[in-house]
Amino acid sequence: FFWVARMTMLAGAFLQEGEAPVGGRGSWMPFRDVYIHGLVRDEHNRKMSKSAGNGIDPLLLIERYGADALRFALVREVAGAGQDIRLDYDRTTDTSVTVEAARNFANKLFNATRFALMNLGGETPTSLGEPVLAELESEDRWILSRLTRTSTQAAELYGSYRLGEAAKLLYEFAWNDLCDQYIEWAKPRLFGDDLVARTAARRVLARSLEALLVMLHPLMPHLSEDLWHAVTGAEASEFLALQRWPQPNQEWLDPSHEGAFQFGIDAVRAIRNLRALSGVKPSEKLPIGIHTPTAARQDFVVANQGKISRLVGASDLHWEAEPSAGQLLGIVDSDAQVGLSVPQQSLDALKERLQKDLAKVDKEIAGLQGRLANPNFAGKAPPEVVTECQANLAEAQAQAALVRGRLAELA
């Protein structure tokens, strides 16, 4: 603040003559906007200073993780304008979990771009053209709607200098929406022989990835520049910083379809969790049900039956309103359940594993209750140790209740 104030006062002193700025300028004010950011504090949340000797050398982190990773990590940690940032840092190894996570995000972008280049058939977003609405499938409509919403929100966040929120928004879109969901749902079409379906998926992937790199450029300029040139085939004399902000077609925005597709994502996640819990082999195909009384959700399952079956390893996918007897059930939300028809051998193994887990947790509960019931411990131990013991007991009891509930479902 003091540097800004000094420069503003000096500008007024040297560039103001009477009532008009010197040199024909429209104003003597040196800045239109001033962004006053917080401090980057050390791993113990202390202000860095030479006298304290607690400074963190950014060059060490850049050498290990890259400049873009450090830049993105710091911006993403900003909770609000002027808020300080605590940068976790291990001085014995010169490592940072926060910056490493940003480096992993950079790797995710690199791998997504490499996947796109391998499956775009040498085409670019320009040569492929805009997605055609009549040719779009469910995952195409969803990602284009998410892209339209994200582009609008990111522009507003950048414009109001809410950089931390912009970083979080783009991280979620890139990692969760584009990489984890859209690419997984669209893979069969990208690999398939249907020319129309493959071209539609290529158009959507190319357009979404190009727009993402443009939006990320202020936060990760070096990586996004390289990846953008690879995706678009632009000349070396062209620069990403000079490109227009993404302008998605507003017809792509479809909130109702976003909600329907999110149900599909949640159902697939619930089924995968249930499969992992049941202990069946990942390659083993099972009869699977998605049960909901909502007609719109049933319609979504019917329209995407083949895709959902591939994602969850279903030998048969059905969608009755209520689950049938003998299924291993999992919750999607208050309006939907998923069910697996698991072989009896796998169910018996699951019961045995849960019973062992329950015995282990019950033993832990008994030990914690004994410690808390001991007057010597409760009266002489430091308060924070007693509090931690009580928290561990509550957590163990909750875990035991969960295991007992699962065993009751299998009975």
Side-chain angles (χ1 to χ4, degrees), residues 361 365 368-369 390-402 404:
V361 175
I365 289 173
L368 291 170
Q369 287 176 332
Q390 291 171 337
N392 290 339
L393 175 61
E395 182 180 351
Q397 289 173 333
Q399 186 177 355
L402 184 65
R404 286 193 176 91

Side-chain angles (χ1 to χ4, degrees), residues 263-264 267 290-292 295-308 317-319:
F263 166 71
I290 300 177
H291 309 291
T292 173
R297 289 182 163 186
Q298 291 182 356
D299 293 342
F300 177 85
V301 176
V302 172
N304 295 277
Q305 180 180 0
K307 296 172 184 176
I308 294 174
L317 185 68
H318 45 98
W319 47 88

Side-chain angles (χ1 to χ4, degrees), residues 181 185 259-269 290 300-301 308:
Q181 298 302 331
W185 284 70
F261 197 86
Q262 186 60 50
F263 166 71
I265 292 173
D266 294 340
V268 168
R269 183 180 296 116
I290 300 177
F300 177 85
V301 176
I308 294 174

Side-chain angles (χ1 to χ4, degrees), residues 173-341:
F173 176 79
W175 194 297
N176 297 332
D177 294 351
L178 184 61
C179 297
D180 284 359
Q181 298 302 331
Y182 178 73
I183 289 178
E184 285 301 312
W185 284 70
K187 273 182 180 178
R189 294 160 58 211
L190 291 167
F191 299 159
D193 297 326
D194 187 328
L195 180 60
V196 174
R198 187 171 69 236
T199 301
R202 284 177 172 178
R203 284 172 176 162
V204 173
L205 177 59
R207 188 63 59 190
S208 301
L209 183 56
E210 181 190 20
L212 171 63
L213 294 173
V214 174
M215 292 188 289
L216 272 173
H217 188 60
L219 305 176
M220 308 183 84
H222 305 97
L223 177 67
S224 59
E225 185 81 42
D226 284 348
L227 298 183
W228 178 79
H229 275 89
V231 170
T232 62
E235 298 292 335
S237 58
E238 297 184 59
F239 295 99
L240 175 52
L242 301 179
Q243 303 308 305
R244 189 183 183 193
W245 185 262
Q247 304 289 325
N249 188 339
Q250 289 301 312
E251 292 183 0
W252 295 347
L253 190 62
D254 189 346
S256 62
H257 186 70
E258 284 187 47
F261 197 86
Q262 186 60 50
F263 166 71
I265 292 173
D266 294 340
V268 168
R269 183 180 296 116
I271 293 169
R272 286 175 169 175
N273 291 341
L274 204 56
R275 284 185 66 106
L277 175 67
S278 67
V280 297
K281 296 178 181 178
S283 59
E284 185 176 356
K285 295 188 179 298
L286 302 172
I288 296 175
I290 300 177
H291 309 291
T292 173
T294 305
R297 289 182 163 186
Q298 291 182 356
D299 293 342
F300 177 85
V301 176
V302 172
N304 295 277
Q305 180 180 0
K307 296 172 184 176
I308 294 174
S309 295
R310 178 185 66 84
L311 291 168
V312 300
S315 60
D316 174 51
L317 185 68
H318 45 98
W319 47 88
E320 300 87 355
E322 296 295 333
S324 57
Q327 285 185 314
L328 182 63
L329 299 178
I331 302 297
V332 180
D333 56 28
S334 60
D335 191 45
Q337 291 178 294
V338 294
L340 299 183
S341 297

